[in-house]
């Protein structure tokens, strides 16, 4: 017969032993669909795809990425409807145009599908459509912070190269920048389109017609890369103040060379990765963060570029 002391020691050992939770019997057959507004031509979204895939692998769930090939928002609305019809456990979606996309998103919520808004839109709009939360960078706030930074550097006028003018969130970046500078946006924003040659030509035409322009603001690699070529051809490379949203291989090179003063990192990896983690834990254990998650803005300069350069276009 075991002594009372031995029994107490065994009992204490059982109580003290950690209980390791696993995904077994906790919703290990979950599927989440991420719908973006990005056209196939926009390489910036590769980071989103990588974050989504890694989260799916680490959490042991199924993930899908869907988007309108040309970036057409009406097409995106139909894709959200199709995603909801497949009855996934959750939908992660951008809210690039509230008026166009609110209908299918709210219909998905009414159907009982959990939704998280990421990348574009706002926390307020996420609440209005019934989403669980918002994960992303408030675009106006990011533009405003960039404008304040530029104002501190002596900028008083600028050109905003908007390559996705049909998306209200893109315009919010330009408007925020103008407000941060304390000036009117007026005609300082151009619709550049997405063709690299057209972007380069339109930037050169604007700067030729407005030689007093202090700065250039681009909204991502799609507009930043051709703008760098435009500035080089007209002899302004490194001589005009240049800020950009987002990161990419050529943007990192521009930061290193001093052609670009700063890039705004909204950390797109987190915008795709975190919603999968949140949804998985919500479905498995009923836990949910109490607040929205701001993934940016963060300013990247040529100082401290080591990890950014290493993972640019992949995870940064």
């Amino acid at each position: 017969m075991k002594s009372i002391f031995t029994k107490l020691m065994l009992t204490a050992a059982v109580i003290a032993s950690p209980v390791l939770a696993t995904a077994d019997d906790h919703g290990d057959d979950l599927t989440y669909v991420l719908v973006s507004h990005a056209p196939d031509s926009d390489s910036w979204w590769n980071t989103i795809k990588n974050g989504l895939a890694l989260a799916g692998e680490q959490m042991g769930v199924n993930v899908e990425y869907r988007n309108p090939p040309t970036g057409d928002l009406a097409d995106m609305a139909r894709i959200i409807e199709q995603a909801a019809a497949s009855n996934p456990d959750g939908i992660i979606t951008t809210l690039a145009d509230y008026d166009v996309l609110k209908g299918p998103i709210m219909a998905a919520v009414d159907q009982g599908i959990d939704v998280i808004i990421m990348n574009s839109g706002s926390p307020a709009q996420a609440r209005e459509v019934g989403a669980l939360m918002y994960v992303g960078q408030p675009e106006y706030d990011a533009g405003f912070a960039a404008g304040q930074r530029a104002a501190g550097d002596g900028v008083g006028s600028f050109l905003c190269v908007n390559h996705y003018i049909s998306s209200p969130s893109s315009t919010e970046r330009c408007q925020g920048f103008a407000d941060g500078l304390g000036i009117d946006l007026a005609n300082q924003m151009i619709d550049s389109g997405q063709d690299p040659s057209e972007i380069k030509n339109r930037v050169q035409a604007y700067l030729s017609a407005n030689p007093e322009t202090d700065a250039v603001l681009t909204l991502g690699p799609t507009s930043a890369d051709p703008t760098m070529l435009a500035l080089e051809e007209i002899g302004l490379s490194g001589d005009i103040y240049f800020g950009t949203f987002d990161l990419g291989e050529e943007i990192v090179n521009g930061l290193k060379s001093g052609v670009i003063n700063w890039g705004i990192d909204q950390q797109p990896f987190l915008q795709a990765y975190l919603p999968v983690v949140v949804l998985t834990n919500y479905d498995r254990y009923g836990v949910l963060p109490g607040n929205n998650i701001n993934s940016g803005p963060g300013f990247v300069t040529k100082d401290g570029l080591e990890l950014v350069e290493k993972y640019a276009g992949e995870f940064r």
Side-chain angles (χ1 to χ4, degrees), residues 131-153:
L132 294 177
M133 64 186 304
Y134 169 85
V135 180
Q137 171 182 268
E139 302 296 5
Y140 176 85
D141 294 346
F144 188 82
Q148 289 185 313
R149 184 185 183 103
D153 291 337

Side-chain angles (χ1 to χ4, degrees), residues 217-228:
L217 176 70
T218 56
L219 305 187
T222 297
S223 50
D225 295 359
T227 295
M228 281 189 276

Side-chain angles (χ1 to χ4, degrees), residues 108-140:
V109 172
D110 290 342
Q111 185 180 322
I113 299 173
D114 294 323
V115 172
I116 289 181
I117 301 299
M118 54 82 71
N119 177 262
S120 55
S122 69
Q125 290 176 335
R127 286 194 302 272
E128 289 170 7
V129 298
L132 294 177
M133 64 186 304
Y134 169 85
V135 180
Q137 171 182 268
E139 302 296 5
Y140 176 85

Side-chain angles (χ1 to χ4, degrees), residues 187-204:
N187 67 343
Q188 295 180 104
M189 178 178 71
I190 62 170
D191 177 4
S192 68
Q194 298 188 11
D195 178 79
S197 296
E198 277 299 307
I199 294 172
K200 185 182 73 170
N201 292 338
R202 292 178 186 183
V203 168
Q204 290 177 341

Side-chain angles (χ1 to χ4, degrees), residues 57-88:
E57 177 184 343
Q58 291 182 348
M59 300 304 291
V61 298
N62 305 305
V63 294
E64 300 176 27
Y65 177 89
R66 303 182 187 180
N67 68 298
T70 64
D72 181 78
L73 293 177
D75 190 15
M76 180 186 174
R78 288 189 291 271
I79 292 173
I80 295 174
E81 292 172 348
Q82 292 165 359
S86 69
N87 201 33

Side-chain angles (χ1 to χ4, degrees), residues 1 92 239:
M1 180 180 293
I92 305 159
D239 290 333

